[in-house]
Amino acid sequence: MKNILVTGGTGYIGSHTTVELLNKGYDVFIIDNLSNSRKEVLNSIEKITGRMPHFLQLDLCDREKVMAFFANNRIDATIHFAAYKAVGESVEHPLTYYRNNLVSLVNLLEAYEKYNLDNFLFSSSCSVYGDQSVLPIDESAKLSKPESPYGNTKQIGEEILSDTIRVNKFSGIALRYFNPGGAHESALIGEYPLSPPNNLVPVITQTAIGKRESMTVFGNDYDTPDGTCIRDYIHVVDIAKAHIAAVERLLNKKNKNKFEIFNLGTGKGNTVLQAIQAFESVSGVKLNYKIGERRAGDVVKIWADTKLANTELGWKAELSLDEIMRSAWKWENQLMNDPS
Ligand code: WQD
C-alpha cells in the first residue's frame, strides 16, 4: 500500500485527514514536534480506525533529521500541515512564524529534490486572498497582501512550492482552507487548543461550557446583512476528505498541471451572528456574548467559489454549519469529561 507522510498529523486537520487515509487503507507516517498538539491523539486515531499510524516526534526545521527520515522511509506522497497558525501571535512574533513555517517547508522540498520524490500537498489558507471585492472568490483571483505574517507564510509557501516544482519533476497541490470547524462524529478527535483559541467556533463552545466568562463579537457595523463579518465555515471532516481526493489525484497522475491550487470551502457565507444562532439552536444553550470593537486585520466578508474543487477533485462539502456546531459542542463536552 502507498505510504503517506502527514506532517502535523497529531494536529486538528492533520488528525482528521490521518483518520480518512487509514480508513482508505493507506499507511500513514506522522511527523510532529508536538508544539501545538498531544501524542494521545494517536490513541484516538487508533480507536477510530483500528490502525495506528507510524509516528516520529521531530522538528521539521532540523534539516539533518528531515533528510535522514526520507533516507530511511519510502514516501509516496506528503501532506504538509505542520505550521504555526495563530494569526494574532504571528503579528507579535513574525520571525518565529517565518522561520518555523518556511524553513520546515524548504527542508521538505530539499528532501524531495534529493530523493526524487513526488506528490506534495501544501496546507494553504484563504488568508492569502486578504480583502476581496468580487465574491465568491476563485483561485484565479489576484492575491492581495495578507493581513498577517501567518497569512504571508501561506502566500510565500505557495510561491516556494510553485518555483520548486517548476525546476523539478514532482507535482504538487495547494489547498486553500476557508474556515474549518467542527469535529469527528466520535468526539475522539477535534480542535484541541493548547492555548486560549482566537477563532470563532472554539470561542463559542468554550463560552457555552463555561471555560470562558463571555465572548465578544468583533464589530457589528460592517456592510453585511446584520453588520457582522461573513466567513465560509467548513466542516473539518469535509476538509479531510478533500485531502484524500487531492492526494489520489496526484498518485493517479490525474493532475492537469504540475502545480494546482484548490479552494476548500462550502461556497456559502455566514455572518458571526448567524454562526452563533446556529450554535444556540443545535445546542439549546443561550450564548453570553457582547458586541465589541472591530478586530484589526479582519476581512469583512469572504466565501469560496468551489467550482474547481467540485469538478476537478470530484469533491464537495457535505456537512452544514449546524453539523459543525453540533460536532464542536459534542467535542467540547467530551473534553470537559476527559480533560487529560
Ligand atoms: C471568524 C470571524 C471574527 C472570534 C481563520 C484562521 C485563518 C484561516 C481562516 C486557515 C471573524 C469573528 C472571532 C471571536 C468574533 N484558516 N470572531 N469573536 O479570522 O476568518 O481566520 O480562518 O488557515 O488561519 O485564523 O477566523 O474564527 O478568528 O474569525 O467575533 O471571539 O469571527 O471577527 O469575523 P478568521 P476567526
Side-chain angles (χ1 to χ4, degrees):
M1 205 12 154
K2 299 282 186 194
N3 292 339
I4 314 292
L5 167 61
V6 177
T7 73
T10 52
Y12 178 40
I13 303 175
S15 57
H16 285 82
T17 302
T18 298
V19 162
E20 299 303 326
L21 286 166
L22 292 171
N23 284 340
K24 280 213 83 176
Y26 292 100
D27 279 338
V28 175
F29 291 70
I30 289 179
I31 289 180
D32 204 301
N33 66 2
L34 300 178
S35 65
N36 193 24
S37 59
R38 302 177 301 165
K39 199 173 176 185
E40 289 79 6
V41 167
L42 298 172
N43 303 326
S44 302
I45 290 171
E46 187 180 34
K47 263 194 212 140
I48 296 169
T49 64
R51 300 180 64 204
M52 179 61 90
H54 304 272
F55 174 74
L56 187 63
Q57 182 172 355
L58 185 157
D59 182 349
L60 291 167
C61 290
D62 183 329
R63 190 174 185 281
E64 296 309 305
K65 293 224 171 82
V66 170
M67 293 300 164
F69 171 79
F70 285 101
N72 297 316
N73 297 283
R74 193 207 79 228
I75 295 298
D76 299 300
T78 293
I79 307 181
H80 179 41
F81 292 105
Y84 293 155
K85 61 172 183 172
V87 170
E89 187 184 52
S90 77
V91 174
E92 301 303 314
H93 305 286
L95 284 179
T96 304
Y97 271 67
Y98 286 120
R99 164 172 288 283
N100 183 67
N101 292 6
L102 298 180
V103 171
S104 52
L105 175 62
V106 168
N107 285 344
L108 287 167
L109 294 179
E110 285 186 332
Y112 258 60
E113 282 188 332
K114 180 173 179 174
Y115 295 105
N116 288 317
L117 298 169
D118 198 357
N119 312 316
F120 193 93
L121 238 59
F122 177 64
S123 163
S124 189
S125 163
C126 66
S127 308
V128 303
Y129 291 119
D131 238 326
Q132 295 275 336
S133 48
V134 176
L135 292 168
I137 185 96
D138 73 34
E139 294 84 349
S140 64
K142 190 172 170 346
L143 304 188
S144 51
K145 176 139 179 43
E147 301 289 344
S148 68
Y150 159 78
N152 212 15
T153 65
K154 291 302 181 183
Q155 198 170 107
I156 298 169
E158 288 187 8
E159 288 164 6
I160 291 172
L161 182 55
S162 170
D163 290 344
T164 308
I165 281 175
R166 194 176 306 116
V167 294
N168 283 282
K169 293 195 193 66
F170 68 89
S171 296
I173 289 175
L175 295 173
R176 291 176 178 167
Y177 312 150
F178 279 69
N179 287 56
H184 189 266
E185 61 193 356
S186 64
L188 288 170
I189 54 175
E191 192 163 8
Y192 189 82
L194 293 180
S195 53
N198 295 310
N199 50 323
L200 183 65
V201 175
V203 165
I204 288 176
T205 57
Q206 288 193 358
T207 303
I209 206 157
K211 273 186 192 166
R212 300 168 64 106
E213 270 300 292
S214 71
M215 66 167 284
T216 304
V217 172
F218 295 135
N220 70 342
D221 57 353
Y222 288 101
D223 175 19
T224 65
D226 62 22
T228 63
C229 294
I230 296 175
R231 294 290 185 276
D232 185 333
Y233 297 97
I234 177 168
H235 199 291
V236 64
V237 171
D238 277 327
I239 293 237
K241 289 181 175 170
H243 284 75
I244 307 303
V247 79
E248 290 182 343
R249 179 179 177 86
L250 292 174
L251 289 169
N252 301 327
K253 305 261 174 278
K254 295 273 191 275
N255 52 303
K256 291 177 177 164
N257 297 300
K258 287 182 69 190
F259 178 55
E260 295 179 314
I261 297 173
F262 297 103
N263 283 341
L264 296 188
T266 66
K268 191 176 174 324
N270 282 103
T271 68
V272 177
L273 290 178
Q274 286 169 340
I276 289 173
Q277 282 143 22
F279 174 79
E280 290 181 330
S281 72
V282 300
S283 66
V285 174
K286 185 91 185 74
L287 206 58
N288 174 22
Y289 68 88
K290 62 182 184 300
I291 305 289
E293 290 306 306
R294 294 182 172 191
R295 179 173 70 174
D298 266 341
V299 158
V300 184
K301 44 185 125 173
I302 185 167
W303 61 92
D305 179 323
T306 61
K307 276 194 287 298
L308 201 60
N310 300 157
T311 50
E312 293 302 324
L313 296 181
W315 163 90
K316 189 168 170 47
E318 290 161 2
L319 299 166
S320 65
L321 180 60
D322 282 1
E323 185 44 40
I324 289 174
M325 294 303 180
R326 192 178 298 112
S327 57
W329 184 228
K330 188 178 170 193
W331 166 246
E332 190 67 67
N333 279 276
Q334 190 278 335
L335 275 181
M336 186 61 105
N337 303 331
D338 169 27
S340 61

